[in-house]
Amino acid sequence: MSSRGRPRNFSREEALASAMRLFWDKGYDNTSLTDLTQAMGLKPPSLYAAFGSKAQLFIEAVDLYGRTDGAGIWDELETAPTAKAAVHDLLRRTAENFTRGGEPRGCMVVLSAPQMAGGDPEVCDALKVHRLEKQVALERRFERGVADGDLPEGTPCAAIAAYVASLQHGMSIEARDGATRETLMAIADCAAAGWDAMVAASIKPN
Amino acid sequence: MSSRGRPRNFSREEALASAMRLFWDKGYDNTSLTDLTQAMGLKPPSLYAAFGSKAQLFIEAVDLYGRTDGAGIWDELETAPTAKAAVHDLLRRTAENFTRGGEPRGCMVVLSAPQMAGGDPEVCDALKVHRLEKQVALERRFERGVADGDLPEGTPCAAIAAYVASLQHGMSIEARDGATRETLMAIADCAAAGWDAMVAASIKPN
DNA sequence: TCCTTTCTGTATCGATCAATACATAAATCG
DNA sequence: CGATTTATGTATTGATCGATACAGAAAGGA
């Protein structure tokens, strides 16, 4: 391996964590290299040597987010006893996570880069992949619910996953607009309260 | 008035409409003055004389959006016979509106400027005001539903408005991620299917 | 007609952006 | 030791950003 050469003067992990926090708070476009180098405590050449480019640094930061601050939201998706319990827990964890003091509000994967024409496609696609992975995880969980018998046969799992994902994504917007934890919790409870009827009605759409 | 001086060489309305389309498609940050002047068919000094600044032009463009492309979504909010019908209609119009061919997908008010630290506060606040106005309109509509008797006494109108707003905002994310009209319609139908049970359960939150 | 007013086109401003050239410092290898 | 490799700090690059200075053109008012 390469233990040769002058050793690094900073912790790559800590620097990446600082970048994550900054991207999460300010978004990809609004975070400049000046911001990054100051927060990470290093100079531009060190940043480029360690991370390649601003875009690659961002993608690494999003991965870190998914493994740390953003992970707890999804902790019980698989272990919850039923699909309904999994969704209710997911949304309540979302409400709690999105309103922690001292942290940026809402989800980095939803908010930190606008999915707009003209944006860096590398960056947008990375976030889109993260979002769709979670939506697929929801769909799979609902399919398991059908297999487990806590969802009726014929449940449109993809549609319900899109519904839950849409609601959870919207909660990031609400959080950034200043919604309180109580408001977000109420949203979670609304979804849970309508769950059984929604599932029952969705089997025959019309 | 001021009919003096050299007359304008372009239609202010048409130029504003072009700017709106561009901001809607690319977002505020990703739309440069070069993009704008090209699409609007004028030179920078004319743009600044007519609209003041990029930020003010954007705010005017958002207002235009709310009066044109974004308006139809909310057309039946007040005229629908019940709160439930109003929400179902709203979400189905949303699904239709967000997947029109030849137009950018999703809502300009939700997508076109990230609500992030470091963004132009003038721009962010203008969009936030638009979002909250619609959420308040939902809350008022639900209060009317209580008065009309199609929602039970004690319905938490603010919480349910936050739920519907959150879902509708999330549909913009889904739309930009490529969701089909059928998927968005399914989301709308999910919400409608669970509505009665959600309302009934929400009266006593626990 | 001449003056004032307003708009237009050219050309460019200073600021900021992401990214690097370059020389030096600090480590391993032979 | 000397050679190689890698990281660091200073200084700067070309590009692009939003916004304007300036002079000329086109209108109304006197």
Side-chain angles (χ1 to χ4, degrees), chain A residues 4-7 31-33 44-45 48 54:
Chain A
R4 297 253 306 235
R6 179 173 176 173
T31 303
S32 70
L33 280 183
Y48 280 87
K54 184 188 173 187

Side-chain angles (χ1 to χ4, degrees), chain B residues 7-187:
Chain B
R8 197 170 269 138
N9 210 1
F10 59 94
S11 160
R12 195 180 190 281
E13 294 175 12
E14 291 176 11
L16 180 58
S18 298
M20 179 200 77
R21 176 61 64 97
L22 209 54
F23 280 132
W24 186 9
D25 190 37
K26 307 187 65 171
Y28 180 75
D29 288 324
N30 284 334
T31 304
S32 70
L33 280 182
T34 304
D35 296 329
L36 288 167
T37 52
Q38 282 182 0
M40 299 165 79
L42 41 77
K43 306 291 178 179
S46 299
L47 189 156
Y48 280 87
F51 299 102
S53 69
K54 184 189 173 186
Q56 290 174 26
L57 170 61
F58 176 79
I59 291 173
E60 277 203 55
V62 172
D63 284 332
L64 177 62
Y65 173 81
R67 284 181 277 109
T68 57
D69 296 73
I73 294 175
W74 302 88
D75 273 351
E76 301 292 327
L77 180 67
E78 302 299 336
T79 53
T82 63
K84 177 182 180 177
V87 166
H88 199 181
D89 179 85
L90 164 69
L91 294 178
R92 290 186 66 87
R93 283 171 183 267
T94 297
E96 191 272 337
N97 184 287
F98 284 7
T99 54
R100 279 187 193 150
E103 286 194 336
R105 299 179 141 231
C107 174
M108 184 185 186
V109 174
V110 172
L111 296 170
S112 65
Q115 331 149 259
M116 299 271 166
D120 187 326
E122 203 182 357
V123 165
C124 288
D125 287 352
L127 291 176
K128 181 174 172 177
V129 165
H130 277 269
R131 285 190 295 268
L132 295 185
E133 277 178 355
K134 291 305 184 189
Q135 189 162 330
V136 168
L138 282 169
E139 185 177 349
R140 297 282 167 271
R141 180 64 186 84
F142 298 155
E143 290 170 354
R144 210 195 86 196
V146 174
D148 290 349
D150 60 270
L151 287 179
E153 205 75 33
T155 298
C157 296
I160 294 182
Y163 162 81
V164 173
S166 191
L167 189 63
Q168 205 241 359
H169 293 160
M171 288 171 73
S172 281
I173 308 286
E174 295 288 313
R176 282 278 163 153
D177 276 347
T180 64
R181 177 170 295 183
E182 289 69 32
T183 295
L184 296 182
M185 284 291 179
I187 293 172

Side-chain angles (χ1 to χ4, degrees), chain A:
Chain A
M1 284 297 293
S2 63
S3 69
R4 297 253 306 235
R6 179 173 176 173
R8 198 169 267 139
N9 210 0
F10 59 93
S11 158
R12 195 180 189 279
E13 295 175 12
E14 290 176 13
L16 181 58
S18 298
M20 179 200 77
R21 176 64 61 96
L22 209 54
F23 279 132
W24 186 9
D25 190 39
K26 308 186 67 171
Y28 180 74
D29 287 325
N30 285 332
T31 303
S32 70
L33 280 183
T34 304
D35 297 329
L36 288 167
T37 52
Q38 282 181 2
M40 300 166 78
L42 42 76
K43 308 290 179 181
S46 299
L47 190 155
Y48 280 87
F51 298 103
S53 70
K54 184 188 173 187
Q56 290 174 25
L57 169 61
F58 175 80
I59 292 173
E60 276 203 56
V62 172
D63 283 332
L64 177 62
Y65 173 81
R67 284 181 277 111
T68 57
D69 296 73
I73 296 175
W74 302 89
D75 272 353
E76 300 292 327
L77 181 66
E78 301 299 335
T79 54
T82 64
K84 177 182 181 179
V87 167
H88 199 182
D89 179 87
L90 164 70
L91 294 178
R92 290 186 65 87
R93 282 170 184 268
T94 296
E96 191 271 338
N97 184 286
F98 284 8
T99 55
R100 280 186 191 151
E103 288 194 335
R105 298 177 144 237
C107 174
M108 183 183 186
V109 174
V110 171
L111 297 169
S112 65
Q115 332 149 256
M116 304 248 110
D120 186 327
E122 202 182 357
V123 164
C124 290
D125 286 352
L127 290 176
K128 180 173 174 179
V129 164
H130 277 269
R131 286 189 296 268
L132 295 186
E133 277 179 356
K134 290 305 183 187
Q135 188 162 331
V136 168
L138 282 169
E139 185 177 349
R140 296 284 167 269
R141 181 65 186 81
F142 297 155
E143 290 170 352
R144 210 196 85 193
V146 174
D148 290 348
D150 59 270
L151 287 178
E153 206 74 35
T155 300
C157 296
I160 294 183
Y163 162 81
V164 173
S166 191
L167 189 63
Q168 205 243 358
H169 294 161
M171 289 171 72
S172 281
I173 309 287
E174 295 288 314
R176 281 280 163 148
D177 276 347
T180 64
R181 176 170 295 182
E182 288 68 34
T183 297
L184 297 183
M185 284 289 180
I187 293 172
D189 293 340
C190 280
W195 182 263
D196 291 330
M198 185 195 78
V199 169
S202 65
I203 294 182
K204 286 288 181 187
N206 281 318

